[in-house]
Structure formats: C-alpha cells, structure tokens
Amino acid sequence: MPGKRGPQGAAPIAAEDAILLLQSQALAEEEAAKKKGKMLTRFLKDKLAKEEHSSTLNLHKLNTQWRVVLREAKAKELHQDIEILSQTFTRVMDCKDSVIESLAKDLEEAEEQHAHALRGHLHNIDCLLELQRCRLMCLEEGYNAQLEALKMEFEAERRTILEQHEQENCHLRDVALAVEQNHAENTHEAMLNFQSARDDIKNKSLQEKQYSRVQLGGRLEVLWEQFQKAMQSYAEATKHQKIAFEALKQKDEKNSREIEMQAKKLQKLQDLVTATKSRIVAHLRESEEQNRRMREEKERVLGQLQELRRELSQARAKAHGSLARLTVQSGAALKVLARVVRKAERILRLAEMCRRLETEEEKVLPFYSSSLAEGEQRDTRQILEETPAEPLAQAMRDYVGLERFWQRFNKVKLEEKALEREQVVLSQKNQHLRELLRQYLAGISASEEVLGEPNPFLTVERKSCIPRDLPHPEEGCAQGHQGAAPPDSPSGGDPCWDPIHGSASTN
C-alpha cells in the first residue's frame, strides 16, 4: 500500500511546486512591472520638467518674434495713417482755400454793397440836411412874418387904446366939470332960496311976533298952524330940489368911482403895455438865444454825424472781422457738434444694446459695492473733499458725476476680461478634449498608420502650467521644436524611452 501511495502523493507535490513557481514568477513579473512603472514615471517626470522648461523658453522667443512682427505691422499701419492724414490734410487745406476764396469774394461783394449803402446813406443825409435847412428857413420866415404882424397889431392896438384913453379922459373931464358946475349952481341956488326963505320967515316971524305981541297971545295957535303950513309948504317946495340934490350927490359919487376905476384901468393898460414891451424884448432875446442854440445844435449834430460816420465805418469793419471769425468758429463748432452728436447717438445706441443685455440683478442693483475697507473709504472721501491744487485734479473734480458710469464701465471691462480668459480656458479644454478624443479613436482603431505609431493609451498627458492668458502650450512646443533648442532640451535630439519597444528612440 505504501508503494502504491508513493507515486500518487508525488503528483500533488509537483502541482504545488508548479503553482508556487508560477506565483513566484508572477510576483517577480509584478515587481519588475512596478520597477518598470516607477522608472517610467520618473523618466516622464524628468521629461515633463524639461518640456516645461523648453516650452517656457520657446514661448519667450515666440513672444519676442511676435512683438517684432507686431511692431512692423504697427509701423505699416502708422505709415498708412500718416499718408491718409496727409491726404486728408491736403484735402482739408484745399477746402479751406476754396472757402477762403469764397469768403474773400463775399467780402468784396459785401464791401461793394457797403460802399453803395454808404453812398445812399450820405445822399439821404444830404437830402435830410437840405430839408432841414429849408424847414429852418420857412420857420424863420414864418417867425419874422408873425413878429411883424404882432408888431403891427400891437401898434394899432396901442394907438386905439391911447385914442380911446384920450377920449375917455376928455369925456370924464367934461362930465366932472359939468357935475361940478351943476352942483355949485344947485348948491348956490338952494342956499339963496334957503336964505331968502329963512329971511322971509324970520321977518314974518318977527312981524308976527310983534303982531302977536300986539294982538295978544290968543293968535299964537293960528300963527303956529300957519308956521306948520309954511313949513310943510317949504318942505313940499324943497322936496324935489332935495331929491335932485341927493340924486346929483349919488351921481357925483358914482362918477368919482368911475373916474377912479378908469384911472385904475388906465394904469393897468399902461402896466400891460409895459409888460408887453418887456415880453417882446424877452421874446426877441429868447429868439436870438434859440437861434444861437439852433446854430450850436446844428454844429453839434454835424460833429455827431461825422463821429457816427467814423464809428459806423469802424463798426462795419469790426462786424466784418467778427463775421469772418464767427463763420470760421461756427463751421468748427458745427463740425465738433456733429461729431459730438454722432458720438452721443452711438453712445445711446450702445446704451440701449447694453440695457437689453443686462441681467435682472444688474437692472435692480446696477452698481456694485466698493471693495475698499472703511478706513480706506474714509481716507478717499477726505481726499476728495480737499481742494485740489493741480489743474488735472481740478478737472477731475468737474467729472465727479461720472463716477457711477466709470464704476459700471470698469465692472463691464472686468467681466469682459474674465469672460475672455474663461473663453481661452474653455477653448484650451475643448482642444484638450478633442485631442483626447482623437487619441482614443486612434487607439481603438486598427489601421496600419495607428499600429506604426506609439500606443496612445500608454502616453501620459500633462497639465500646462502656463498662464491662461498666454497662447496654447502645444503651439509653443511646436514652435520650440521648429526653432533652435538648447542642448539639454528633450526636443533637441535627446533619446527618449520607448515604452513599447523598451529601448531609447529619438523624437
């Protein structure tokens, strides 16, 4: 039995040895693969560092050459701009020359019109002076005629008043003499009648008294009655004379009053004549003074006319110069205003376009908050409140109202730059993904060209450390491979490890 078990027990041992051998070989292969992977990783890291160094250097060279190309292109553009500006300047000079010629022609025509208008004005002034002279002569003749008529009327009225005065004086003297004579006669007659009557009555009374003394006192009453009757008869007899005397007395008083009134009237007429003479003399002096003032006014007006002519000529010359300057300035102002209007219309159109492109947040909060600290904002406000000393700072204070605009403008510019960088990054990622997709498609295809090239699944892609705003690193590497490279760069012909063949090869 043991002999039979011997061969049967050796078979499992050999199988176990084979398995152990295979395991040891697998472990050895795995260790060799790990070593090979580590060595490949170290080699790729070294190659990546060299590639990054060479790509940075080649990028600097590319930027230098690109700056040279840009300078040449900019120089060409500047030369073209200078030629265009020279042509534009020549064309503008021709336009200005034509405008100056047209203005010179207009100036000549205006001077001719001014000369014609001046001749017409001088002719009108001469006509007006002639009319003024004729008017003054007519006024002087009318004044002399009126003066002669007034003198004649005054003399006639004076003679009439004097004759009437003499007549009234004669009449008043006759009336006074007649009144005096009548009064004297009436008075004398009344006195005679009174004395005769008194004497008669006295005699009668004496006789009657003697008779009464003789005839007794019994007849006293009869005598008294007779006396009364005599007194009544006397009164009746002298009543008309007394009334006439009173009437003559009143007439005398009235005549005396009339005489006084006529004397006063005569005195007034004499005073009026004297005042009229003085007025005539004053009028003569005033007329002479007025004529003298008129002559002086005429000379002064002629002097003012000459001065006004000189001032008019100077004003016209000044007006022509001002008109020429105004024409030039208005043309320049119109051009500037047209440019400003076009610029404003363009700004308004851009503002409308930007308004349509704004987000809801920008429409609600168009201005972002400042990124400065409170102390910095306080210092900034203090600096803005201070009075600037430099002209540029003073000019900037005039545009403080545009601060919000510049904030939005800077915000938009920052967003634009950020979007541009994001676009560059996205384009790089897109290119990278396209490259990976191409390699993947090339790896799964089985064409002769793909088999002749290295396996893309065993290549290690690297991430670029170049800034995002610089050109794509693959372009820089391609340019670096085409240009001169330093001896230590991998693209300069150094051997690279081929992971497929396990040997060094030249890229």
Side-chain angles (χ1 to χ4, degrees):
M1 292 299 293
K4 292 180 179 179
R5 291 177 182 175
Q8 293 178 355
I13 293 171
E16 291 177 0
D17 293 336
I19 290 170
L20 291 174
L21 180 61
L22 289 174
Q23 288 179 355
S24 62
Q25 289 178 358
L27 290 172
E29 289 178 358
E30 187 178 355
E31 291 177 358
K34 286 181 180 180
K35 290 181 181 179
K36 188 176 181 181
K38 290 181 180 180
M39 184 175 61
L40 181 61
T41 301
R42 188 169 55 255
F43 171 74
L44 289 175
K45 286 182 179 180
D46 296 337
K47 186 176 181 181
L48 178 61
K50 291 180 181 179
E51 286 290 336
E52 287 178 355
H53 179 71
S54 62
S55 62
T56 305
L57 184 61
N58 293 328
L59 181 61
H60 288 303
K61 291 181 180 180
L62 180 62
N63 289 332
T64 303
Q65 294 179 2
W66 182 244
R67 289 193 186 96
V68 173
V69 173
L70 289 177
R71 289 193 189 97
E72 292 177 356
K74 190 66 177 178
K76 290 180 181 179
E77 291 178 359
L78 290 175
H79 284 298
Q80 291 177 359
D81 293 338
I82 290 170
E83 291 178 358
I84 293 170
L85 289 174
S86 64
Q87 293 175 2
T88 306
F89 178 74
T90 306
R91 185 167 61 255
V92 170
M93 285 296 294
D94 295 335
C95 294
K96 296 291 184 182
D97 293 335
S98 63
V99 170
I100 290 170
E101 291 177 358
S102 63
L103 290 175
K105 291 180 181 178
D106 294 338
L107 184 61
E108 292 177 358
E109 292 177 358
E111 288 179 353
E112 291 178 358
Q113 293 177 0
H114 170 65
H116 182 68
L118 182 61
R119 288 194 296 271
H121 177 68
L122 293 177
H123 178 68
N124 293 329
I125 293 296
D126 294 335
C127 293
L128 290 174
L129 289 174
E130 188 64 28
L131 289 173
Q132 183 68 15
R133 292 192 191 95
C134 294
R135 180 174 173 274
L136 289 174
M137 289 176 65
C138 293
L139 290 174
E140 187 175 1
E141 291 176 358
Y143 172 74
N144 293 328
Q146 291 179 3
L147 183 62
E148 293 295 332
L150 287 173
K151 285 181 179 179
M152 293 173 65
E153 184 179 358
F154 173 73
E155 292 295 334
E157 188 176 358
R158 183 172 176 274
R159 286 193 298 271
T160 304
I161 291 170
L162 290 174
E163 290 175 358
Q164 186 178 2
H165 176 65
E166 291 295 332
Q167 291 177 1
E168 289 178 355
N169 283 334
C170 293
H171 177 68
L172 289 173
R173 282 194 297 270
D174 294 339
V175 169
L177 183 60
V179 169
E180 288 177 357
Q181 289 177 359
N182 291 328
H183 180 67
E185 290 176 358
N186 292 326
T187 304
H188 182 66
E189 185 178 358
M191 287 298 291
L192 290 174
N193 292 327
F194 176 74
Q195 287 178 2
S196 62
R198 188 182 64 177
D199 291 338
D200 291 340
I201 292 168
K202 189 176 181 181
N203 291 327
K204 286 180 180 180
S205 64
L206 288 173
Q207 290 175 3
E208 288 176 356
K209 186 177 180 182
Q210 290 176 1
Y211 180 74
S212 64
R213 285 177 183 177
V214 174
Q215 293 294 330
L216 300 173
R219 298 180 65 184
L220 182 62
E221 294 179 1
V222 178
L223 291 174
W224 178 252
E225 292 176 358
Q226 290 178 357
F227 177 75
Q228 291 292 331
K229 291 178 181 179
M231 286 293 291
Q232 290 177 358
S233 64
Y234 174 77
E236 290 175 357
T238 59
K239 182 178 181 179
H240 297 288
Q241 293 180 357
K242 187 176 180 179
I243 293 170
F245 176 77
E246 292 294 334
L248 290 173
K249 187 177 180 181
Q250 291 178 0
K251 189 176 181 181
D252 182 57
E253 291 175 357
K254 184 179 180 180
N255 290 329
S256 62
R257 286 194 300 269
E258 288 180 358
I259 288 168
E260 289 176 359
M261 291 174 64
Q262 292 294 332
K264 290 179 180 179
K265 188 175 181 180
L266 182 61
Q267 185 65 31
K268 288 181 180 179
L269 290 173
Q270 289 178 356
D271 295 336
L272 182 63
V273 169
T274 305
T276 307
K277 286 182 179 179
S278 62
R279 284 199 301 271
I280 290 171
V281 174
H283 283 307
L284 288 173
R285 287 197 297 270
E286 288 177 0
S287 62
E288 291 176 357
E289 183 67 22
Q290 188 175 5
N291 291 330
R292 184 180 62 79
R293 286 199 300 270
M294 290 294 291
R295 287 192 293 271
E296 292 177 356
E297 184 69 20
K298 179 182 177 182
E299 293 176 356
R300 187 175 63 81
V301 168
L302 289 174
Q304 289 181 357
L305 179 61
Q306 296 295 331
E307 185 67 24
L308 286 174
R309 286 180 179 175
R310 288 194 296 272
E311 290 180 357
L312 182 62
S313 61
Q314 293 176 1
R316 285 180 176 172
K318 187 176 180 181
H320 281 299
S322 300
L323 182 61
R325 289 194 300 273
L326 182 61
T327 304
V328 175
Q329 292 175 0
S330 62
L334 287 174
K335 292 180 181 178
V336 173
L337 289 174
R339 289 198 298 271
V340 172
V341 168
R342 290 195 298 270
K343 188 174 181 180
E345 291 176 351
R346 183 170 177 271
I347 289 171
L348 290 175
R349 289 196 300 270
L350 292 175
E352 290 295 332
M353 294 170 63
C354 293
R355 185 65 179 173
R356 288 195 296 268
L357 295 174
E358 285 180 352
T359 60
E360 294 296 328
E361 183 181 358
E362 290 176 344
K363 289 180 180 179
V364 175
L365 298 173
F367 305 106
Y368 61 93
S369 59
S370 178
S371 60
L372 300 175
E374 293 182 358
E376 293 176 348
Q377 291 181 0
R378 187 169 55 254
D379 296 337
T380 305
R381 285 195 298 270
Q382 185 177 0
I383 291 170
L384 289 175
E385 289 175 357
E386 293 177 357
T387 303
E390 297 180 358
L392 182 59
Q394 293 178 358
M396 288 177 65
R397 287 180 65 87
D398 296 335
Y399 298 95
V400 175
L402 296 174
E403 188 67 23
R404 294 293 188 180
F405 168 77
W406 290 119
Q407 286 183 3
R408 295 192 67 182
F409 181 79
N410 293 331
K411 180 181 178 183
V412 172
K413 275 293 183 183
L414 289 173
E415 291 178 355
E416 182 183 0
K417 293 296 182 182
L419 290 173
E420 288 177 357
R421 292 195 176 186
E422 188 175 359
Q423 184 180 6
V424 171
V425 172
L426 291 175
S427 62
Q428 291 177 358
K429 288 183 178 180
N430 189 12
Q431 187 70 24
H432 179 64
L433 292 174
R434 287 178 182 275
E435 183 65 24
L436 290 177
L437 182 61
R438 187 184 64 78
Q439 292 178 1
Y440 175 76
L441 293 175
I444 62 176
S445 62
S447 61
E448 295 180 356
E449 296 178 355
V450 173
L451 293 174
E453 294 178 356
N455 193 350
F457 290 107
L458 297 178
T459 60
V460 178
E461 292 294 329
R462 61 183 176 82
K463 294 182 180 180
S464 177
C465 297
I466 301 172
R468 294 180 180 179
D469 56 347
L470 296 176
H472 199 275
E474 292 180 1
E475 297 177 0
C477 293
Q479 185 71 23
H481 288 298
Q482 291 176 5
D488 57 347
S489 63
S491 60
D494 290 344
C496 297
W497 179 262
D498 190 356
I500 302 299
H501 302 282
S503 60
S505 63
T506 304
N507 293 330

